[in-house]
Amino acid sequence: MSVIKINKVNFQNEVKNSDKPVLLDFYADWCGPCRMVSPIVDEIAEERKDIKVGKINVDQERELAEAFDVYSIPTLVIMKDGKIVNQAVGARPKEQILAML
C-alpha cells in the first residue's frame, strides 16, 4: 500500500475510522531529520499491507499538528481504533519504527 497524504478533510475516514493500525509521520519539507525518516516510512508502507501509513505536512496541516501536540518533527504516531497507542519524536531507524507497531 502506498503512503496516504493525510489532511483535515480525509483524517476522519483514513485514520479515525481505519480498521488497520495507522502509522502517521508528521513532517515538513525543510526538516533534515524528516527527510531521513521519509524513505523508511515509504518502505514500511510498501512492505506492510497490515497497516496504513499516512504523512501529515505540519506546515499545511497546522490544526492536525496542534491536535496531536506536535511541537518537534519528525513525530511518528501509531493509532489503533482511532486512539494514539504509541508516539516518538525524532529520527528513528526502521527497526525502532517497526517495534512501535
Side-chain angles (χ1 to χ4, degrees):
M1 186 182 285
S2 59
V3 173
I4 302 163
K5 193 166 184 69
I6 302 294
N7 55 48
K8 62 184 173 208
V9 175
N10 68 2
F11 179 80
Q12 183 73 32
N13 193 42
E14 294 291 352
V15 179
K16 282 281 202 184
N17 298 339
S18 176
D19 56 347
K20 297 178 178 180
V22 182
L23 165 61
L24 294 175
D25 175 18
F26 287 85
Y27 76 98
D29 293 329
W30 49 263
C31 165
C34 298
R35 289 196 300 267
M36 289 170 29
V37 169
S38 186
I40 298 170
V41 171
D42 293 345
E43 212 174 277
I44 292 170
E46 290 302 317
E47 292 171 1
R48 295 284 301 266
K49 306 303 180 206
D50 59 321
I51 63 168
K52 192 180 278 193
V53 178
K55 291 189 180 185
I56 300 173
N57 184 317
V58 296
D59 290 331
Q60 296 169 358
E61 299 297 329
R62 291 184 196 274
E63 285 178 43
L64 284 176
E66 286 176 18
F68 280 84
D69 293 326
V70 173
Y71 299 109
S72 298
I73 50 175
T75 293
L76 299 171
V77 175
I78 308 297
M79 295 192 67
K80 290 182 184 169
D81 302 318
K83 295 178 179 60
I84 298 170
V85 294
N86 211 336
Q87 193 165 341
V89 176
R92 298 272 188 278
K94 185 177 179 180
E95 300 75 36
Q96 284 184 18
I97 297 170
L98 289 172
M100 291 174 61
L101 296 164

